Amino acid sequence: SAITLNGSAVSLGGSATIASGITMVNMWHRPSNFSLSGATYTTVTGLQKLSITGAGNFGSDMTESSGIFTFPSTGIYKVEFMFNIFGGGGLYSGARLQTTVDNSTYVTVSEGYNNQYTTDAGSFGVIPYHFDVTNTTTHKVKFLAVAHGASNLGGGSNLLYSGAIFTRLGDT
């Protein structure tokens, strides 16, 4: 079969697959602060799909249970976790992005940290990862946050202060 491109017929010859591009974007956020104990990695729970006016969510939705996210379909996904940590932390704060391909064993695939030079300082970071999701039952992701001292992962009801963006880039 032929495709018309700029008025000219172009033959693909045989079979060909044309990628459909980005088919899904989901933004998730913490609607309120999330308490962190000192020097303990804590799975971030309670994220909600961002639903403020103008939020650019489209396509199928991620699902979340106890901080573990399940993908709506197979594909290559860009996963980004943003963290804002403040209050009493001192020394350092940060986050980890962990994935599983067997629905059991989670491995850290991306992480980021900031120095907090005083106990009341805040820190911000973004940790990205491209995840090849070949099975929606076994391939999942979760986020963990940590601070040197008791702190908060910041949240807000009407903004993406701390949270995640999931973008399906294409087929696996």
Side-chain angles (χ1 to χ4, degrees), residues 67-89:
I68 296 172
F69 283 86
T70 300
F71 294 86
S73 63
T74 60
I76 305 292
Y77 287 82
K78 181 178 182 181
V79 180
E80 301 168 281
F81 182 68
M82 289 142 293
F83 61 92
N84 275 289
I85 298 175
F86 64 91

Side-chain angles (χ1 to χ4, degrees), residues 39-169:
T40 302
Y41 284 94
T42 305
T43 299
V44 178
T45 58
L47 291 170
Q48 298 175 357
K49 186 177 172 191
L50 189 64
S51 60
I52 62 173
T53 301
N57 293 305
F58 69 91
S60 299
D61 289 338
M62 299 290 293
T63 55
E64 181 268 346
S65 177
S66 301
I68 296 172
F69 283 86
T70 300
F71 294 86
S73 63
T74 60
I76 305 292
Y77 287 82
K78 181 178 182 181
V79 180
E80 301 168 281
F81 182 68
M82 289 142 293
F83 61 92
N84 275 289
I85 298 175
F86 64 91
L91 298 181
Y92 68 88
S93 61
R96 287 181 172 170
L97 189 156
Q98 294 186 336
T99 61
T100 181
V101 295
D102 65 5
N103 199 29
S104 177
T105 306
Y106 282 83
V107 176
T108 299
V109 294
S110 185
E111 62 186 342
Y113 298 91
N114 284 310
N115 290 323
Q116 288 182 278
Y117 295 105
T118 65
T119 56
D120 292 326
S123 69
F124 170 79
V126 178
I127 50 175
Y129 185 67
H130 288 170
F131 191 24
D132 185 2
V133 177
T134 58
N135 183 316
T136 59
T137 302
T138 59
H139 290 54
K140 299 183 180 188
V141 65
K142 67 180 179 177
F143 311 105
L144 295 90
V146 67
H148 180 257
S151 299
N152 287 296
L153 177 70
S157 61
N158 293 316
L159 70 151
L160 183 58
Y161 192 65
S162 294
I165 300 175
F166 302 91
T167 306
R168 186 179 184 280
L169 300 174

